[in-house]
Amino acid sequence: MSANGKPKFAMYWAASCGGCEIAVLNIGEKILDFDANFEVVFWPVAMDAKYKDVEAMPDQSILLTLWNGGIRNKENEEIAHLLRRKSQILVAFGSCATEGCIPGLANFSSTEEIFHAAYDSISSENPEKLRPQYRTQMPEGEISIPEFYPTLRTLDQVVKVDYYMPGCPPESHQIASVIDLVIQVLQGKATLPPAGSVIGAGISTVCDDCPRQRNVKLVKKFTRIQALQNPDPTLCLLEQGVPCNGPATRQGCGALCPQAGAQCIGCYGPAEGVIDYGARLISAFASVIDSTDPDEIEAILDGIPDPAGQFYRFNLAGSLLRAGMKSWSR
Amino acid sequence: MTTEKSENKERIGVYVCHCGSNIAGIVDVQDVAEWAGRDLAERGVVVSRDYKFMCSSLGQELIEKDIQEEGLTRVVVAACSPHLHEATFRTACSRAGLNPYLCELVSIREQVSWVHTDKEAATEKSKAVLSGGVERVIHHEPLEPLHVPIHPATLVVGGGISGIQAALEIADAGFPVYMVEREPSIGGHMAQFDKTFPTLDCSACILTPKMVSVGNHPNINLFTWSEVEKVDGYVGNFTVTIRKKARYIKTELCTGCGICQEKCPKKLIDDVYEAGLGYRKAVYTPFPQAVPKYPVIDRENCTFFQKGTCKVCQKFCPTDAIDFEQEDELITVQVGNIILATGFDLFDPRKVSQYGYGRLANVFSSLEFERLTNAAGPTNGNIVLRDGVTTPRAVGIIHCVGSRDRNFNNYCSVICCMQSLKFAHLVHERTGATVYNFYIDMRTAYKEYDEFYQRILEEGTLFVRGKVAEVTGAARSPGEEGRLIIQVEDTLAGKQRRIPVDMVILSAALQPRYDAKEVAHKFGISCSANGWYIEKHPKLDPVATMTEGIFIAGCVQGPKDIPTSVSQGAAAAARILGRIQQKEIALEPVRASVDQDKCSGCRICNSMCPFNAIIFHEDRMVTEVNPALCQGCGTCIAACPAGAISGTGFSDQQILAQIEGLLMVNFEHARVAELG
């Protein structure tokens, strides 16, 4: 408890885009409840604070830390350990922290390829081809930047995580309900779920919330939704050949994309109990292909031109696969 | 999410089998046993032994004694494949009071000693798979087998010789049989033949008494001109819907006098029984000895049904048995077991276009020739050319048409050599013509078959070893004019030959029925890529299938001759009679189940189940697996994208633990290699 008696709250971003922070602010007037119940002690995107301030706090003094972003470099890792030590409840918040998300797709590339893309490729404005160095001698002495790791790891691959909150970003109503829950726990009106649980989401899949009609599936062709001649707005997208990831994706978003006529891309991650989202989905899609002819099957599969992006867009780092072979070499 | 090694409180016994020298010849079994006792002690291994033959009574007693004296709660046997001895060791555990499903069999024979030559590596691999087994067995749960009662009735699908034999065996034992045959009469292909090899018995003479027995048997309910529409339920308790197609004959009035057939003005080519060589009427019985005796009216070809007038048959029928108003009937029967004896189709020799079938008049298929030789056939048994009168002077018989040919079927059709020899004999006997047999390899295994081959050789049939390149009517010399020329490489003489003949007989391959896959799906069994039904074990369980309660007999399982078809029919019957006598059956409790909370009803699994065990509840939008139908194959578990389906004995937890166990050993090696 702080001087004003309110429990302390921290939020941190590692390798992420910042969308998770916006989602937190997007909870609307709930933020007032939040403010009434918590004292924010550390939140780089919202307030000024230094790492040394956190280091100075007693261990376990922060009640709740929401961590978004994957562990991409040494700084991320150090702060993960620091906040773990200082926090009672550490939540992997959002897809990057729970399963790697888009930054995790870099695990298919070597460090050199990543640097090339960032500093030398056609999209970079870097005529002198400068590359940042970990250590640089300056007149004032040596300065350093954090070391870049060969792979991106999820938060729980580095420190123990108490709860997971999926989504890219987590839906604001889900955030609000989690905050509500914590406040109720503080007031003794509710109990926390078992450690290691996924919070702010359901245990079933997106299909459970999707109003589209579902039948037995027999797919003769996979296609982009834009290429469908007469998309049926009431029929399951997968049945129409659109590779919708809804059947494998955790329930929580309210099936927003399929209702808007776009396939689910899987940002809420694997459903409860699924260990490797991509593998599950690959075997599920393979199961609905309506052919026994190897050549025809081959042709049907050509309708999924980017399997890594289709099946592992959000969870490569958190999958059993974790990374491609290239990332092994520095 | 991180996996931390689970706390283990189990007391595990490890038993490593030598299997004589089968395993011990390649794997240092003693080292494996000592290693497990030492290095896996922290994982719960309290006893670790090696023994010459774990499956022997003494080996099993070792396990039983340890369970009782050491208080083992889990048993791991590193020996052969679970297919062989899982039941043995489970029973041993059971005898000692341990739930049999707490025993894990690790294959270090099929998966290690038999496939490796490097002793050291094989020993290390044995340790790895054993370690996987130990990690896995920790997660085993005690299970109870499912008991289901067996309905005493049996369904036999297919009224060929195999199905007839099966039906008679069961019916004679005093239990009810429903036989379903889609043709108007039972008899199958055997009814089309004149003679059977190697004894040259008259086919009809040995078959028709059995057909009559089926027709008259008080325990056999015969449905001809019928097909199975739907199969529900599971072993012991199938509900079968049979479509009894309209015969347009009142069978209770019909005497089988045949006047309707005689008077019917519509004559058409009989593609089925007469293989296209003869004619039948629109109202017909396929052959005089047909069982049942009642004819059927072929609606597609009947003048009345097609044009609205005729009814000649009705006019002449002395018992008023013709009924144009009849409709298909759906009949539901309860059975405990099912035998599929649906036979084969003949390969269409048109596909081997170079042999000219369908293009050159005097090229005959084997089935056509069977009809030519049949005394009741279209030529009264006279072997003549397509013109119906000319007796051939020279006949060529080509073996392996569509068999043992990468372009068509890789397999050997088994019966063609003997059938071709029979043909040679019949041609020789009835026409005195010169007979050539063109073969790749002569296959005359089984009792008295080779003696028959010797006999045909002595009769003077000429044998040319070589695959025929072409049958042509294009003459190159005056001697060839007007004849069929067989172009062949005589591989024994080492030269090309052109042999002019008047008639060519193509011994065509046996193929799965055109609708074999559809039927397999209907009954929930698996068939090979080309459509032969798959037996449970190719050697030790040849008539059972992976689906409990469904048996196969005869050519539906693969090409075979009459004696083998009959044996299989009898074998399937014996298996079923054993079941019926036991009155109930214990089913393996390895089953898939759906977590209803996790299932979102996406329906991806719904078409997957080869055993039709998946039910979808439209009202609640969830899928369920019927445990009595489920055979635990795991197809739906793999298909479920939500991870809502899991299999007893094969949970993610069990499999991941097993993988981790395997890797614990291998990681050690990788690290050694890295450091070294």
Side-chain angles (χ1 to χ4, degrees):
Chain A
M1 296 276 167
S2 60
N4 57 19
K6 287 195 283 188
K8 292 177 180 169
F9 169 87
M11 184 157 184
Y12 186 72
W13 56 353
S16 65
C17 69
C20 285
E21 334 271 332
I22 293 170
V24 171
L25 296 176
N26 209 22
I27 62 178
E29 60 205 27
K30 262 284 183 261
I31 202 86
L32 299 176
D33 286 357
F34 173 76
D35 185 55
N37 283 281
F38 287 98
E39 182 196 351
V40 179
V41 293
F42 181 61
W43 188 355
V45 81
M47 61 175 273
D48 188 24
K50 300 286 181 245
Y51 293 156
K52 64 175 170 40
D53 300 336
V54 183
E55 279 159 12
M57 296 175 193
D59 285 358
Q60 305 267 303
S61 61
I62 305 172
L63 177 71
L64 178 65
T65 296
L66 302 184
W67 176 289
N68 74 84
I71 310 301
R72 179 75 269 186
N73 62 26
K74 196 154 188 270
E75 180 185 11
N76 301 153
E77 186 174 22
E78 281 174 7
I79 305 303
H81 284 292
L82 175 65
L83 282 172
R84 173 69 275 185
R85 217 167 47 239
K86 301 297 172 192
S87 313
Q88 291 177 39
I89 301 170
L90 177 64
V91 177
F93 186 84
S95 176
C96 291
T98 55
E99 44 171 8
C101 199
I102 308 293
L105 278 175
N107 286 2
F108 279 125
S109 308
S110 66
T111 302
E112 175 51 37
E113 283 171 323
I114 295 168
F115 283 178
H116 173 78
Y119 301 113
D120 314 333
S121 68
I122 195 153
S123 64
S124 315
E125 173 63 35
N126 185 10
E128 291 166 61
K129 303 247 180 281
L130 292 175
R131 288 268 180 105
Q133 302 298 309
Y134 291 135
R135 293 177 196 293
T136 311
Q137 290 302 328
M138 300 297 281
E140 296 82 359
E142 187 186 80
I143 57 168
S144 64
I145 59 171
E147 187 189 338
F148 185 87
Y149 290 149
T151 59
L152 179 135
R153 283 172 292 167
T154 62
L155 182 60
D156 75 354
Q157 288 164 3
V158 175
V159 295
K160 186 171 172 291
V161 168
D162 300 307
Y163 298 107
Y164 300 85
M165 200 163 165
C168 180
E171 282 300 315
S172 294
H173 74 275
Q174 297 281 19
I175 302 172
S177 71
V178 166
I179 287 173
D180 255 352
L181 174 73
V182 177
I183 292 171
Q184 286 189 18
V185 171
L186 288 174
Q187 296 167 349
K189 291 182 195 157
T191 49
L192 284 170
S197 302
V198 173
I199 55 175
I203 63 165
S204 183
T205 71
V206 171
C207 299
D208 227 14
D209 294 336
C210 179
R212 288 173 180 262
Q213 167 71 33
R214 300 191 284 282
N215 305 299
V216 171
K217 291 162 179 52
L218 296 167
V219 174
K220 274 278 182 211
K221 187 184 179 192
F222 284 117
T223 179
R224 288 160 57 118
I225 193 153
Q226 302 90 309
L228 273 188
Q229 289 297 329
N230 293 306
D232 181 339
T234 63
L235 182 66
C236 168
L237 284 164
L238 187 54
E239 277 163 53
Q240 301 184 63
V242 177
C244 176
N245 289 1
T249 305
R250 189 183 280 270
Q251 172 189 34
C253 61
L256 292 175
C257 297
Q259 291 192 70
Q263 73 267 34
C264 168
I265 55 175
C267 76
Y268 255 75
E272 186 80 15
V274 171
I275 291 150
D276 193 301
Y277 176 87
R280 277 266 158 223
L281 205 52
I282 287 168
S283 104
F285 278 19
S287 302
V288 297
I289 291 175
D290 182 22
S291 173
T292 51
D293 172 27
D295 293 335
E296 192 186 9
I297 292 171
E298 222 26 75
I300 295 171
L301 288 177
D302 285 345
I304 302 175
D306 172 21
Q310 175 76 40
F311 301 116
Y312 285 102
R313 183 178 298 182
F314 291 94
N315 79 327
L316 178 63
S319 69
L320 281 178
L321 213 57
R322 289 198 180 188
M325 266 178 82
K326 276 183 178 174
S327 67
W328 297 1
S329 61
R330 294 218 169 185
Chain B
M1 329 261 150
T2 45
T3 42
E4 278 165 35
K5 205 176 289 170
S6 52
E7 196 69 24
N8 174 38
K9 296 186 190 74
E10 303 301 340
R11 292 175 64 78
I12 305 168
V14 166
Y15 301 88
V16 187
C17 182
H18 293 235
C19 197
S21 61
N22 269 314
I23 296 171
I26 294 292
V27 174
D28 185 344
V29 284
Q30 208 180 335
D31 180 38
V32 173
E34 280 168 12
W35 168 85
R38 191 181 57 242
D39 285 28
L40 298 182
E42 61 157 5
R43 300 302 301 144
V45 174
V46 292
V47 179
S48 183
R49 305 182 196 279
D50 62 290
Y51 191 71
K52 267 245 170 306
F53 289 104
M54 279 311 300
C55 61
S56 67
S57 314
L58 292 173
Q60 296 179 52
E61 279 163 21
L62 265 182
I63 300 178
E64 291 169 49
K65 195 160 154 275
D66 285 346
I67 291 173
Q68 278 156 354
E69 291 177 3
E70 303 286 336
L72 298 183
T73 59
R74 296 286 188 276
V75 168
V76 178
V77 185
C80 50
S81 153
H83 265 300
L84 256 80
H85 274 304
E86 190 171 61
T88 310
F89 297 116
R90 279 182 174 175
T91 316
C93 289
S94 209
R95 277 197 300 270
L98 185 69
N99 184 289
Y101 298 94
L102 299 176
C103 169
E104 171 79 4
L105 202 54
V106 169
S107 168
I108 58 167
R109 192 177 76 167
E110 283 81 350
Q111 291 182 4
V112 183
S113 69
W114 280 358
V115 290
H116 295 297
T117 50
D118 180 335
K119 288 190 178 185
E120 208 177 317
T123 303
E124 292 308 301
K125 184 176 167 185
S126 299
K127 291 176 184 171
V129 290
L130 177 58
S131 162
V134 166
E135 288 303 316
R136 181 188 164 91
V137 85
I138 294 171
H139 298 283
H140 277 0
E141 279 171 14
L143 302 172
E144 291 302 326
L146 305 162
H147 292 276
V148 295
I150 298 288
H151 191 285
T154 302
L155 172 74
V156 177
V157 186
I161 184 58
S162 202
I164 287 174
Q165 184 69 31
L168 287 174
E169 298 275 359
I170 296 171
D172 286 345
F175 297 102
V177 173
Y178 299 97
M179 177 180 267
V180 175
E181 164 62 52
R182 75 171 151 208
E183 294 300 328
S185 168
I186 58 169
H189 281 104
M190 193 176 166
Q192 293 172 281
F193 306 159
D194 186 50
K195 293 281 186 283
T196 54
F197 58 74
T199 49
L200 301 173
D201 289 271
C202 155
S203 187
C205 309
I206 57 174
L207 175 66
T208 48
K210 281 181 178 285
M211 289 166 58
V212 172
S213 296
V214 169
N216 294 337
H217 208 295
N219 288 334
I220 299 179
N221 210 331
L222 181 58
F223 297 92
T224 55
W225 201 237
S226 300
E227 292 192 55
V228 172
E229 184 95 352
K230 194 153 81 79
V231 182
D232 290 314
Y234 43 86
V235 57
N237 188 23
F238 292 104
T239 304
V240 182
T241 310
I242 299 166
R243 174 176 293 273
K244 205 173 159 197
K245 292 179 279 186
R247 256 189 143 90
Y248 305 108
I249 305 289
K250 290 181 188 154
T251 51
E252 64 280 10
L253 297 179
C254 176
T255 60
C257 67
I259 291 176
C260 55
Q261 309 196 46
E262 208 175 283
K263 300 294 181 190
C264 174
K266 176 75 182 210
K267 195 172 171 189
L268 60 138
I269 288 176
D270 180 359
D271 277 327
V272 180
Y273 183 71
E274 293 293 5
L277 279 189
Y279 295 89
R280 65 167 169 83
K281 296 294 184 59
V283 51
Y284 71 108
T285 47
F287 50 99
Q289 307 97 316
V291 172
K293 62 191 171 186
Y294 319 117
V296 297
I297 293 178
D298 164 13
R299 197 186 162 104
E300 301 302 306
N301 290 295
C302 168
T303 313
F304 170 71
F305 278 117
Q306 297 308 314
K307 298 190 177 146
T309 55
C310 180
K311 292 192 174 181
V312 170
C313 50
Q314 200 173 41
K315 257 171 248 155
F316 283 95
C317 177
T319 58
D320 248 345
I322 307 284
D323 176 8
F324 290 107
E325 304 297 311
Q326 250 179 28
E327 280 179 8
D328 287 8
E329 263 180 89
L330 290 178
I331 294 161
T332 306
V333 299
Q334 293 290 326
V335 296
N337 293 279
I338 295 173
I339 298 175
L340 294 176
T342 48
F344 66 94
D345 277 338
L346 197 72
F347 170 78
D348 179 3
R350 277 181 194 83
K351 289 184 183 159
V352 194
S353 57
Q354 64 269 33
Y355 291 170
Y357 181 75
R359 179 162 49 84
L360 302 170
N362 291 316
V363 179
F364 289 82
S365 77
S366 37
L367 214 47
E368 281 182 319
F369 189 76
E370 291 283 3
R371 295 308 303 153
L372 270 191
T373 60
N374 196 307
T379 60
N380 303 321
N382 289 321
I383 298 171
V384 288
L385 299 185
R386 199 73 74 171
D387 63 10
V389 288
T390 318
T391 306
R393 285 171 294 146
V395 176
I397 303 169
I398 303 177
H399 296 218
C400 297
V401 177
S403 311
R404 306 182 70 208
D405 183 334
R406 284 185 198 182
N407 299 313
F408 306 103
N409 298 304
N410 283 339
Y411 55 80
C412 166
S413 287
V414 182
I415 52 101
C416 323
C417 279
M418 285 301 290
Q419 166 191 266
S420 300
L421 293 173
K422 176 181 82 178
F423 290 169
H425 169 82
L426 294 173
V427 172
H428 189 84
E429 183 186 65
R430 297 189 190 169
T431 67
T434 310
V435 189
Y436 299 90
N437 266 51
F438 301 90
Y439 68 101
I440 311 176
D441 293 295
M442 190 57 76
R443 295 184 168 181
T444 54
Y446 303 123
K447 194 176 177 184
E448 289 179 19
Y449 284 14
D450 209 64
E451 289 89 328
F452 186 69
Y453 175 31
Q454 300 303 328
R455 174 178 168 188
I456 305 306
L457 278 171
E458 279 162 23
E459 281 177 4
T461 292
L462 301 167
F463 286 85
V464 178
R465 184 177 181 279
K467 193 163 167 58
V468 170
E470 188 188 20
V471 177
T472 173
R476 283 194 199 160
S477 63
E480 293 181 352
E481 259 162 49
R483 309 191 73 187
L484 294 169
I485 299 96
I486 296 174
Q487 172 82 46
V488 60
E489 182 189 0
D490 183 335
T491 57
L492 295 182
K495 60 178 182 186
Q496 285 289 333
R497 289 188 153 187
R498 287 174 65 82
I499 299 175
V501 295
D502 305 305
M503 173 189 262
V504 172
I505 306 163
L506 304 178
S507 265
L510 269 47
Q511 287 199 151
R513 287 282 188 196
Y514 68 94
D515 58 352
K517 286 180 187 173
E518 208 178 293
V519 173
H521 188 73
K522 195 176 279 176
F523 286 89
I525 63 165
S526 33
C527 56
S528 66
N530 38 26
W532 300 116
Y533 292 178
I534 298 174
E535 60 280 8
K536 193 165 188 177
H537 191 285
K539 297 176 188 75
L540 302 179
D541 214 349
V543 295
T545 66
M546 294 305 277
T547 307
E548 287 289 353
I550 312 259
F551 296 83
I552 50 178
C555 285
V556 75
Q557 179 251 4
K560 54 182 60 67
D561 57 15
I562 293 170
T564 317
S565 297
V566 171
S567 308
Q568 285 207 337
R575 291 292 305 276
I576 288 174
L577 287 170
R579 286 265 174 88
I580 297 172
Q581 298 284 11
Q582 285 176 353
K583 296 192 171 60
E584 69 165 26
I585 179 178
L587 299 179
E588 185 82 340
V590 174
R591 294 287 180 267
S593 60
V594 182
D595 182 332
Q596 309 273 301
D597 291 333
K598 289 186 190 170
C599 175
S600 59
C602 74
R603 307 195 68 177
I604 284 178
C605 64
N606 283 191
S607 60
M608 292 286 106
C609 182
F611 310 102
N612 302 327
I614 294 180
I615 320 146
F616 182 70
H617 297 290
E618 203 74 57
D619 49 340
R620 290 181 286 135
M621 289 302 276
V622 287
T623 290
E624 198 185 336
V625 173
N626 178 343
L629 273 177
C630 172
Q631 305 286 320
C633 72
T635 307
C636 60
I637 301 171
C640 178
I645 314 182
S646 64
T648 355
F650 294 88
S651 66
D652 281 358
Q653 201 187 23
Q654 281 166 318
I655 291 167
L656 286 172
Q658 185 171 18
I659 293 171
E660 263 177 34
L662 274 162
L663 296 180
M664 268 189 255
V665 175
N666 281 341
F667 268 151
E668 216 55 49
H669 279 277
R671 213 175 303 152
V672 170
E674 220 171 280
L675 295 172

